[in-house]
Amino acid sequence: MSGRDDGGGGNNSYGRKTFKRSQAHFADRITADGRDGWPVAAGRYRLVVSRACPWASRALVSRRLLGLEDALSLAVTDPVQDDRSWRFTLDPDGRDPVLGIRYLSEAYDRRERDYPGGVSVPAIVDVSSGQLVTNDYQRITLDLATEWTALHREGAPDLYPASRRDEIDAVTEDVFQDVNNGVYRAGFATGQEEYEAACTGLFRRLEKLAERLEKQRYLVGDTITEADIRLFTTLVRFDAVYHGHFKCNRWKLTENRVLWAYARDLYQTPGFGDTVDFDHIKRHYYQVHTGINPSGIVPLGPDLSGWTTPHHRAELGGRPFGDGTPPGPVPAGEEVAARGRP
């Protein structure tokens, strides 16, 4: 999710120009062998996220499930960014206490001066140099699961099992095109045909996913995988922002029996719901996208209490963490504020 004006008019431009998901410009990888010059090392890097952003939320969930909190420190930005980029106004003096910067764009500029693209989260920054390492939102979580294994907690689940990768990749590609990206194509559409095509494709895919999930607890196999993380981060935002703000309103998530139960199951699984901040989500979308919501008014709804109701998905079997165990308590200082929870 980008947060710097790249010449297109800033926050006011959302909904006024055709949406196109940009590729990650900084695609270096942090690997066990350090082949890109960035070896995995505890304490060397800082993960920068917005709790509002679904792409960043993937990294939050993965980091929690794998127990990387001590190895990879966390910086959380203000959900309401300005045209200069994501800002650290939630921290004392408006600076990230580790990186010492006010805007994430400063880490981008240290990597490449006058970089013309947007400043996006998630981003991983090298602490000692203060420069961006990667903003490759598609690759970051896969590498956390496969390259950071030496630093995983005991009992960490295998989120990208080798025997299932082809199936996971196929499912996540469909989810990315039609769901993760589909809500944005609908919400930022500048014409009726463009909107209808995106919205139709979104709900067609959701209905196919519901058919798949009616018979099995998780998307691939009988444990949580990368595929579930990628679908969850869109579903958890669906009724709060995509249904109304992005006009994805053929039905609400709560009106689909299977997907609503599936989303609640994951939400109530340690590592998922404890990373979600509905307050940040709503304030970001409704206050930043002024091209769509010029008043900046944030709606009071929806009622969030349903997220903690019984889901009965365990009746389908499955083992959330496989042979592993749930993550421990949320580290001190990383808890979601009370008003961001059901």
Side-chain angles (χ1 to χ4, degrees):
M1 187 176 283
S2 182
R4 178 169 69 181
D5 182 5
D6 59 2
N11 295 342
N12 193 51
S13 68
Y14 292 113
R16 300 178 185 274
K17 59 181 181 180
T18 298
F19 172 75
K20 182 179 180 181
R21 175 72 58 194
S22 59
Q23 296 294 316
H25 181 73
F26 301 99
D28 285 3
R29 294 176 60 190
I30 301 171
T31 58
D33 63 6
R35 56 186 175 271
D36 284 354
W38 306 105
V40 170
R44 175 169 178 175
Y45 307 101
R46 191 155 174 82
L47 174 65
V48 181
V49 304
S50 164
R51 292 191 186 274
C53 171
W55 318 98
S57 290
R58 296 177 180 180
L60 277 173
V61 173
S62 295
R63 175 177 173 270
R64 276 279 291 137
L65 293 176
L66 299 172
L68 290 170
E69 292 98 328
D70 291 337
L72 179 62
S73 67
L74 180 68
V76 179
T77 68
D78 192 312
V80 182
Q81 84 264 38
D82 63 25
D83 288 342
R84 287 168 289 187
S85 90
W86 297 100
R87 50 190 185 164
F88 295 101
T89 48
L90 302 180
D91 295 303
D93 301 321
R95 290 185 183 274
D96 178 78
V98 173
L99 301 175
I101 57 178
R102 293 186 181 277
Y103 292 92
L104 180 55
S105 59
E106 295 173 55
Y108 276 67
D109 289 339
R110 287 174 184 172
R111 173 67 185 271
E112 182 178 319
R113 178 62 64 178
D114 299 323
Y115 158 64
V119 175
S120 63
V121 287
I124 297 183
V125 178
D126 178 55
V127 172
S128 62
S129 67
Q131 66 175 300
L132 178 77
V133 176
T134 179
N135 69 341
D136 191 346
Y137 60 92
Q138 295 284 56
R139 189 71 229 180
I140 285 174
T141 51
L142 298 180
D143 283 343
L144 291 181
T146 60
E147 297 290 339
W148 289 64
T149 53
L151 299 177
H152 287 181
R153 65 178 175 86
E154 184 177 354
D158 187 351
L159 300 176
Y160 195 47
S163 62
R164 293 280 190 172
R165 287 181 188 176
D166 287 346
E167 186 178 2
I168 291 171
D169 290 347
V171 171
T172 56
E173 178 62 19
D174 288 340
V175 169
F176 173 75
Q177 295 296 342
D178 296 333
V179 181
N180 302 147
N181 231 21
V183 292
Y184 283 88
R185 291 202 310 272
F188 292 155
T190 58
Q192 189 68 31
E193 290 185 5
E194 180 186 355
Y195 159 74
E196 289 187 7
C199 196
T200 299
L202 164 66
F203 282 94
R204 182 184 298 119
R205 180 62 60 191
L206 289 175
E207 288 161 358
K208 289 181 179 179
L209 290 167
E211 291 175 4
R212 182 185 187 99
L213 289 165
E214 189 162 22
K215 301 178 179 66
Q216 59 192 63
R217 190 172 179 184
Y218 304 111
L219 281 172
V220 179
D222 65 350
T223 63
I224 291 167
T225 68
E226 176 77 15
D228 299 293
I229 296 171
R230 295 192 181 198
L231 179 56
F232 172 79
T233 57
T234 295
L235 293 184
V236 78
R237 289 160 173 76
F238 202 87
D239 288 3
V241 290
Y242 301 144
H243 179 271
H245 184 58
F246 278 178
K247 305 180 186 69
C248 299
N249 59 2
R250 288 186 58 189
W251 38 262
K252 295 180 180 178
L253 176 65
T254 54
E255 295 169 347
N256 185 290
R257 176 183 57 84
V258 174
L259 291 181
W260 176 222
Y262 167 78
R264 297 200 319 278
D265 184 7
L266 292 177
Y267 183 87
Q268 294 170 34
T269 299
F272 284 83
D274 50 28
T275 69
V276 175
D277 192 318
F278 285 105
D279 175 63
H280 278 210
I281 290 168
K282 288 168 58 177
R283 286 198 289 127
H284 169 77
Y285 282 89
Y286 286 102
Q287 292 185 324
V288 170
H289 299 163
T290 53
I292 298 173
N293 186 43
S295 70
I297 292 173
V298 180
L300 293 175
D303 179 9
L304 300 175
S305 61
W307 282 100
T308 56
T309 60
H311 52 76
H312 306 293
R313 292 283 294 177
E315 297 171 5
L316 292 171
R319 303 171 300 143
F321 305 101
D323 295 328
T325 58
V330 176
E334 293 190 15
E335 303 92 342
V336 175
R339 68 173 181 167
R341 299 195 304 265

